């Protein structure tokens, strides 16, 4: 297997032109995405790193694809700004790998995912041509936005070398509440109530009660824990938390509730998921009860208001079968697999047409 470490776009273009097949890696934080390369040459883009342009007053930032997420987060933090799609694996991942895998965290609940915040990209296609798609400003012309199409593409259509995002001002304070439920259906009813209410939460995750901090020690535990995070300022946040808690518990006070200490680990949906394989699944919340029965033996967490499932397992074949039975597709992030995509195969005619235009020799794998 041939390894390359291009340090510039020109060097990357040369690598693409001389290779029969090529696979892109960053820091290798998502091991399952790099298993089935079948002898293709490897191009490591971690050397193509660094923030190119950051305009805090315009709320935009441009960085090379190999830039570590932690570096980008720190630069934004110094100006009290952040990436609202909340990149996962921030200590290991690159920003290019985050876009290619479409991997957002719990905080995307309020404002949306990667696709909602990418403005433009510079890419190298399968023929070694380089061009820019999208733009570097929030207001842009209409038309087919290829930069958004590249989100979740796993590098199969074009190699991203430079990326531009819009960013938001962050808030100084966070308060977290945990709500305990006996049944998954009751927790989902609470999620539906929140989604239809006027309460604006920063994050909303659901997990088996044993996998997150305890509520009301000494009292009878429930089976499911709903984690809610509110964000704001000192002068208004306490009142918002009080009103939200009261609305959730109502007059019956049958729902156990407790404030939980906020931490990065609490809002990392992957933190307590142990297993050889780790899989992300996009799922409608109404399908959760039936799907959860099939994967009840696995460690799992339902993030972003129940719209994203993360499951860790030692039996990838069983999880693959559960996804197939549920009509769902999963992306394997960790573990040795023949294909990173499991469950129901993705059949996308538009994607095939874009592949034919950008990579007619099918070099990019």
């Amino acid at each position: 297997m041939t390894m390359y470490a291009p340090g510039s776009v020109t060097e990357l273009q040369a690598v693409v032109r001389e290779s029969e097949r090529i696979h892109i890696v960053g820091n290798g934080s998502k091991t399952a995405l790099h298993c089935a390369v079948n002898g293709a040459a490897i191009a490591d883009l971690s050397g193509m790193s660094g923030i190119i342009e950051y305009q805090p007053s315009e709320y935009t930032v441009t960085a090379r694809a190999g830039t570590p997420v932690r570096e980008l987060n720190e630069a934004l933090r110094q100006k009290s700004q952040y990436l609202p799609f909340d990149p996962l694996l921030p200590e290991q991942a690159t920003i290019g790998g985050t876009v290619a895998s479409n991997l957002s965290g719990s905080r995307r609940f309020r404002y949306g995912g990667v696709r909602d915040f990418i403005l433009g990209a510079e890419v190298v296609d399968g023929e070694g041509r380089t061009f820019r798609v999208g733009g570097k400003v929030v207001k842009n012309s209409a038309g087919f936005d290829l930069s958004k199409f590249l989100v979740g593409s796993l590098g199969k259509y074009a190699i991203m070398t430079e990326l531009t995002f819009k960013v938001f001002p962050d808030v100084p304070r966070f308060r977290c509440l945990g709500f305990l439920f006996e049944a998954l259906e009751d927790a989902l009813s609470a999620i539906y109530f929140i989604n239809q209410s006027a309460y604006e939460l920063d994050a909303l995750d659901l997990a088996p009660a044993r996998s997150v901090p305890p509520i009301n020690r000494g009292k009878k535990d429930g089976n499911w824990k709903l984690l809610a995070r509110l964000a704001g300022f000192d002068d208004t946040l306490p009142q918002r938390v009080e009103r939200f808690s009261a609305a959730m518990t109502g007059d019956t006070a049958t729902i156990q509730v407790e404030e939980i200490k906020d931490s990065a680990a609490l809002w990392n949906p992957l933190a307590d998921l142990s297993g050889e394989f780790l899989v992300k699944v996009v799922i409608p919340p109404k399908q959760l009860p039936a799907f959860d029965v099939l994967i009840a033996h696995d460690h799992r967490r339902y993030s972003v208001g129940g719209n994203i499932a993360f499951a860790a397992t030692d039996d990838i074949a069983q999880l693959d079968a559960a996804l197939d039975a549920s009509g769902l597709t999963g992306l394997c992030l960790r573990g040795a697999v023949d294909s990173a995509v499991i469950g129901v195969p993705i059949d996308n005619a538009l994607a095939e047409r874009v592949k034919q235009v950008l990579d007619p020799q099918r070099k990019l794998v």
Side-chain angles (χ1 to χ4, degrees), residues 55-75:
Q55 299 189 65
S57 61
E58 298 296 327
Y59 298 99
T60 61
V61 63
T62 300
R64 295 182 179 89
T67 305
V69 169
R70 66 176 182 277
E71 181 180 319
L72 193 53
N73 282 345
E74 180 56 33

Side-chain angles (χ1 to χ4, degrees), residues 104-128:
S104 300
S106 298
R107 293 192 73 185
R108 70 158 287 187
F109 175 77
R110 183 169 184 181
Y111 292 117
V114 181
R115 195 171 281 109
D116 299 293
F117 290 90
I118 187 170
L119 295 175
E122 180 186 82
V123 303
V124 173
D125 70 8
E127 295 193 319

Side-chain angles (χ1 to χ4, degrees), residues 16-17 19-22 124-129 131 155-159 351-365:
V16 171
R17 287 168 181 152
S19 300
E20 292 185 5
R21 298 169 71 250
I22 189 166
V124 173
D125 70 8
E127 295 193 319
R129 301 171 295 186
F131 53 91
K156 293 182 178 180
Y157 307 107
I159 303 168
E352 182 56 36
R353 291 173 62 188
V354 173
K355 178 74 171 177
Q356 184 59 37
V357 171
L358 296 181
D359 185 25
Q361 300 179 61
R362 309 188 82 81
K363 288 187 174 186
L364 306 180
V365 296

Side-chain angles (χ1 to χ4, degrees), residues 168-181:
F168 278 179
D170 209 350
V171 292
R173 298 287 180 268
F174 300 96
R175 298 272 295 274
C176 301
L177 296 174
F179 301 91
L180 207 57
F181 298 89

